[in-house]
Amino acid sequence: MFKLVSQKINIPTEVISAIFIIIFVSLFVSANFAMGFIWPLFALTMLVSFVVAVAYPRGGVLAIVFLTMVWERFFTLQTFFIGKSEYKLYPLDILLLGIFIGILAQYLFGQKKIQLKKADWMLVGFIALNVIYFFWSLFILKTNMSLAFSSLKNYAFYSLLYFVMLFLFQTKEDWQKLFQFFLAGAIALIGFVVFGYVSGEGLWSGYTPLSTDGVRKLAFTHGLYLTLAFFPMMLWLLWQEKGGQLKNKLAYFLLAVWLIGIIGTLMRHLWIAMAGAFMLLLIFLPKERKKRIRGFVFKFITPFAIAGIFIFYAASMNPQSNFARSLDKSLGVVSTRAVSLVSSNEDESFAWRSLVWQSAYARFKTNPVFGIGTGESIYVESNGYRDFIEIRNVHNSYLAILFQLGFFGILFFLLFIYKNVHTLFSSGGDAQYTFYKFSVLAVLAIYLLVLPFQPYLETNLMAILFWMSLGLARVLPEIKLEK
């Protein structure tokens, strides 16, 4: 059916299948908001989406990218119920299972072949280590089965997306479709940015409360996705030759709105990561592209400066107006969050992390080589605060892997990342190749800079784009990007 439609309207089959899945899953998620969980609708939408993902696995991946960026936890963490029993088989998991089965079928029938390299075997080793630790933690250490399985799922199941990218995105056309759906998701998030600033609070921002005064104008996860989209769009502008001025202006507009949204998340580590990624690009970009950054910054900053002057002038003309008070309050919140980066003594989030990391380390140092296993929790206490904290939720993915899997686990993980990044960074190519290369490197730079601040790899809606990016880094040196 999809091939017939594709021929009639001249749109690739993968794109049509992805749109079909997006519409079906969005129907279920929207109905969930309006009427609550509806079991028959869930079964119908997910069964159909699963079948389509098996038949067109690349379309399934494109749909996952868009659905994750827009619906975030309501797609990636939505449980289902049978009676009073809750089952943690998420819509994301169902689509991934369909994609895996589709790839396996293509492999068995000889449609897809790929040769594993050293970096791939490192990830295989990391996955195998997680499987071993799951059974060791469950049967020997007698840890919490649900927590241990969650760690296994995040480190061993979702990381399989790395291999999905190797199999499904081997041509220029495949990459273009992926970037288009990623861009479409980022554009859709403009609606969330507008909603947050108009209503005064971002939709779904309450899931990550602030440790200081203030209200997020955009949910943290949406801010992450916009941060990841920011640099590929910026690099696209740096690679543009003369012409296409309308597209360029639209790109500047998107970047401006995305930046406003990212600032509105009040997530300090995203700001740090953006600054760090920008500095890395200044250092490593080709000389001819570095020369264009000055022009980009001037064109990007000038409208902000003009708008800022106008806004502050309007506020100063009537300092008692609601607009002036709202502006003063917003600036105060942003400045408080920014100042807390260098003065963290009274910040609850920094204090909580320090307490948890010290308690986890005290437990970890009893067995630093092999770690303490998965599914464990630690008891923390300080000044009347008492709680049991899951080791996987220490808000630092590097430490979470180290504490749970020990030096062996973190070594596999870091070597795997290093091998992929080093291979991609040292590879050559024409202008198109270099654009994709630095886009992927920028996304990975963002991730590597933010991993110490939140449970990124322990939460699927934040981790899947990381594993996808590593897969793209691995496969890019092997594909041909023809002009």
Side-chain angles (χ1 to χ4, degrees):
M1 180 184 73
F2 291 125
K3 288 185 178 180
L4 180 61
V5 174
S6 174
Q7 293 173 357
K8 287 185 176 181
I9 61 178
N10 196 30
I11 297 178
T13 307
E14 290 88 352
V15 174
I16 296 175
S17 61
I19 294 173
F20 184 85
I21 293 174
I22 289 170
I23 293 174
F24 251 65
V25 175
S26 296
L27 173 66
F28 161 70
V29 176
S30 301
N32 232 14
F33 289 132
M35 297 174 285
F37 183 84
I38 304 173
W39 167 248
L41 180 61
F42 173 81
L44 174 63
T45 54
M46 296 318 304
L47 176 61
V48 173
S49 299
F50 172 81
V51 172
V52 175
V54 172
Y56 305 98
R58 190 179 296 112
V61 174
L62 299 178
I64 282 175
V65 170
F66 184 88
L67 289 167
T68 300
M69 294 180 71
V70 174
W71 295 116
E72 45 129 272
R73 70 188 65 248
F74 300 101
F75 165 66
T76 61
L77 294 172
Q78 176 62 58
T79 58
F80 71 93
F81 297 83
I82 298 179
K84 294 184 178 180
S85 300
E86 181 183 19
Y87 296 88
K88 294 184 177 182
L89 181 63
Y90 312 128
L92 168 65
D93 300 342
I94 295 172
L95 283 181
L96 282 176
L97 288 172
I99 291 168
F100 296 154
I101 293 173
I103 291 175
L104 180 61
Q106 291 183 7
Y107 179 80
L108 293 176
F109 285 101
Q111 298 177 13
K112 293 287 183 181
K113 296 292 182 182
I114 192 167
Q115 183 177 0
L116 296 184
K117 294 189 173 182
K118 185 181 295 185
D120 310 331
W121 287 112
M122 290 179 182
L123 180 57
V124 171
F126 182 71
I127 292 173
L129 190 64
N130 273 278
V131 174
I132 294 170
Y133 267 70
F134 171 71
F135 289 106
W136 177 52
S137 300
L138 192 61
F139 296 110
I140 305 299
L141 301 179
K142 305 295 183 180
T143 61
N144 184 288
M145 179 179 178
S146 178
L147 297 181
F149 182 75
S150 180
S151 292
L152 175 69
K153 193 174 179 182
N154 280 291
Y155 295 146
F157 179 69
Y158 295 120
S159 63
L160 293 176
L161 276 165
Y162 171 87
F163 296 104
V164 169
M165 309 312 283
L166 303 191
F167 275 89
L168 297 181
F169 293 88
Q170 300 179 356
T171 68
K172 172 187 173 182
E173 290 72 23
D174 298 336
W175 278 62
Q176 287 178 334
K177 295 186 188 79
L178 181 64
F179 270 61
Q180 288 166 358
F181 273 79
F182 182 62
L183 175 61
I187 292 175
L189 294 184
I190 290 177
F192 289 85
V193 176
V194 174
F195 176 88
Y197 277 91
V198 171
S199 67
E201 182 176 1
L203 193 63
W204 310 331
S205 61
Y207 288 98
T208 50
L210 289 170
S211 60
T212 58
D213 292 332
V215 178
R216 302 189 197 278
K217 306 300 184 184
L218 185 69
F220 155 48
T221 45
H222 284 157
L224 168 66
Y225 304 143
L226 292 185
T227 303
L228 298 177
F230 187 92
F231 286 97
M233 179 61 77
M234 185 191 80
L235 290 167
W236 180 83
L237 281 169
L238 296 182
W239 256 260
Q240 289 300 296
E241 304 297 338
K242 293 182 179 179
Q245 294 301 314
L246 181 60
K247 288 184 178 180
N248 290 358
K249 291 178 180 178
L250 177 60
Y252 277 110
F253 170 77
L254 291 175
L255 289 173
V257 176
W258 292 348
L259 185 60
I260 292 171
I262 294 166
I263 294 173
T265 65
L266 300 179
M267 295 301 293
R268 296 161 293 190
H269 72 271
L270 291 183
W271 304 345
I272 294 173
M274 289 190 72
F278 187 77
M279 293 302 297
L280 289 173
L281 289 176
L282 282 178
I283 295 172
F284 295 111
L285 274 175
K287 290 183 180 180
E288 64 273 14
R289 305 302 165 184
K290 287 182 183 178
K291 296 177 181 178
R292 296 189 176 190
I293 288 184
R294 184 180 300 175
F296 165 81
V297 172
F298 177 79
K299 291 180 181 179
F300 189 66
I301 295 297
T302 299
F304 271 96
I306 295 174
I309 292 172
F310 174 78
I311 290 172
F312 279 104
Y313 176 77
S316 63
M317 292 298 292
N318 191 358
Q320 300 304 318
S321 65
N322 291 333
F323 171 75
R325 291 175 180 174
S326 177
L327 177 64
D328 182 65
K329 183 178 179 181
S330 298
L331 290 176
V333 170
V334 173
S335 63
T336 299
R337 296 290 286 180
V339 169
S340 67
L341 290 171
V342 295
S343 179
S344 58
N345 294 334
E346 298 181 0
D347 189 288
E348 292 182 6
S349 65
F350 283 104
W352 183 88
R353 283 172 171 81
S354 177
L355 173 65
V356 172
W357 293 350
Q358 289 178 24
S359 300
Y361 176 72
R363 177 82 175 276
F364 163 76
K365 67 182 182 180
T366 61
N367 191 5
V369 176
F370 298 105
I372 66 176
T374 57
E376 292 279 11
S377 296
I378 55 169
Y379 177 74
V380 295
E381 180 178 359
S382 177
N383 298 326
Y385 171 77
R386 299 179 179 87
D387 200 1
F388 283 94
I389 305 297
E390 302 166 8
I391 286 292
R392 68 189 185 96
N393 194 32
V394 297
H395 284 224
N396 184 322
S397 287
Y398 293 121
L399 291 182
I401 294 174
L402 175 64
F403 291 156
Q404 293 180 97
L405 308 182
F407 284 117
F408 276 127
I410 196 67
L411 183 63
F412 266 112
F413 178 70
L414 294 178
L415 285 176
F416 163 67
I417 293 176
Y418 170 78
K419 187 64 178 177
N420 277 281
V421 173
H422 180 265
T423 301
L424 177 60
F425 185 80
S426 59
S427 59
D430 58 18
Q432 284 189 84
Y433 180 96
T434 311
F435 160 70
Y436 283 111
K437 166 183 169 179
F438 277 98
S439 294
V440 174
L441 287 172
V443 169
L444 288 175
I446 292 291
Y447 263 115
L448 296 177
L449 290 169
V450 300
L451 287 182
F453 298 97
Q454 290 286 341
Y456 276 93
L457 300 185
E458 295 71 37
T459 311
N460 59 10
L461 71 162
M462 296 189 286
I464 59 174
L465 294 178
F466 172 73
W467 298 115
M468 287 182 179
S469 299
L470 283 167
L472 294 176
R474 156 66 172 82
V475 77
L476 181 58
E478 298 181 0
I479 71 174
K480 295 181 179 179
L481 295 170
E482 299 176 356
K483 295 183 178 180

